[in-house]
């Protein structure tokens, strides 16, 4: 068995939020699949136009996919649900919230629903802060390593 001495250090860094992210799920319920697809696509396009009109740029809006299903509890009656996912990312939290609030008139129809999921924001720290944290973490390690080496030499000399 090899013997070793483990030395660990700790440094602190403060990261700031540089980008808020949200996922919008736009759902349309209709009696027929074709109608649900058309209406959901129209709702997605109207949503993207409303977000742009509210101040979000095209680079802050992206497509997140589409889903379709027929609810299992309605087997005897026709019914289809289609949802589109729109992903948002914005550096200004207030502007993002105002853009999402601007969507309210699009979802007054009882067959339309909007779900907003706030995703984990993107964090960032300056290079100077990262260097300072690394230096703070390694400073105690250097003295601990020297103490460990002296201790190992003392043990080797004693035997």
């Amino acid at each position: 068995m090899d013997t070793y001495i483990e030395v660990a250090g700790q440094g602190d860094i403060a990261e700031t939020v540089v980008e808020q992210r949200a996922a919008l799920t736009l759902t349309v319920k209709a009696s027929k699949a074709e109608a649900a697809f058309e209406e959901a696509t129209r709702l997605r396009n109207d949503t993207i136009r409303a977000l742009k009109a509210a101040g979000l740029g095209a680079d802050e809006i992206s497509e997140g996919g589409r889903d379709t299903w027929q609810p299992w509890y309605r087997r005897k009656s026709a019914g289809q649900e289609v949802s589109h996912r729109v992903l948002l990312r914005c550096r200004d939290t207030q502007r993002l919230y105002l853009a999402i609030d601007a969507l309210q008139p699009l979802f007054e129809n009882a067959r339309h629903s909007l779900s907003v999921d706030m995703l984990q924001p993107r964090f960032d720290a300056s290079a100077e802060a990262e260097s300072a944290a690394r230096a703070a973490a390694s400073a105690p390690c250097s003295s601990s390593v020297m103490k460990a080496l002296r201790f190992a030499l003392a043990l080797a000399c004693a035997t």
Side-chain angles (χ1 to χ4, degrees), residues 1-138:
M1 180 170 123
D2 292 335
T3 58
Y4 66 94
I5 298 173
E6 184 176 325
V7 178
Q10 179 178 342
D12 294 322
I13 188 168
E15 293 181 318
T16 57
V17 174
V18 294
E19 184 177 80
Q20 290 286 353
R21 300 178 327 147
L24 308 179
T25 304
L26 323 167
T27 304
V28 171
K29 298 173 187 171
S31 59
K32 298 195 186 243
E34 301 83 27
F37 285 123
E38 289 174 13
E39 197 170 338
T41 301
R42 189 170 37 255
L43 179 62
R44 183 204 61 208
N45 294 340
D46 291 345
T47 298
I48 291 172
R49 273 193 290 279
L51 289 169
K52 287 180 180 179
L56 291 184
D59 60 329
E60 297 174 315
I61 303 169
S62 61
E63 182 69 33
R66 182 176 81 172
D67 195 14
T68 181
W69 67 95
Q70 181 177 4
W72 62 270
Y73 52 86
R74 282 204 210 156
R75 290 192 185 184
K76 293 181 182 176
S77 64
Q80 194 76 28
E81 294 185 22
V82 176
S83 68
H84 283 276
R85 200 161 164 96
V86 177
L87 305 175
L88 306 175
R89 60 179 197 270
C90 185
R91 292 185 173 274
D92 182 15
T93 305
Q94 186 67 24
R95 193 165 52 95
L96 176 65
Y97 289 158
L98 289 173
I100 292 171
D101 289 344
L103 299 176
Q104 177 60 33
L106 296 175
F107 293 92
E108 290 177 354
N109 186 334
R111 297 183 321 160
H112 298 172
S113 66
L114 171 68
S115 172
V116 179
D117 295 317
M118 293 303 291
L119 305 174
Q120 182 175 349
R122 190 168 58 87
F123 295 92
D124 198 13
S126 67
E128 295 84 24
E130 288 183 23
S131 296
R134 282 193 184 97
S138 63

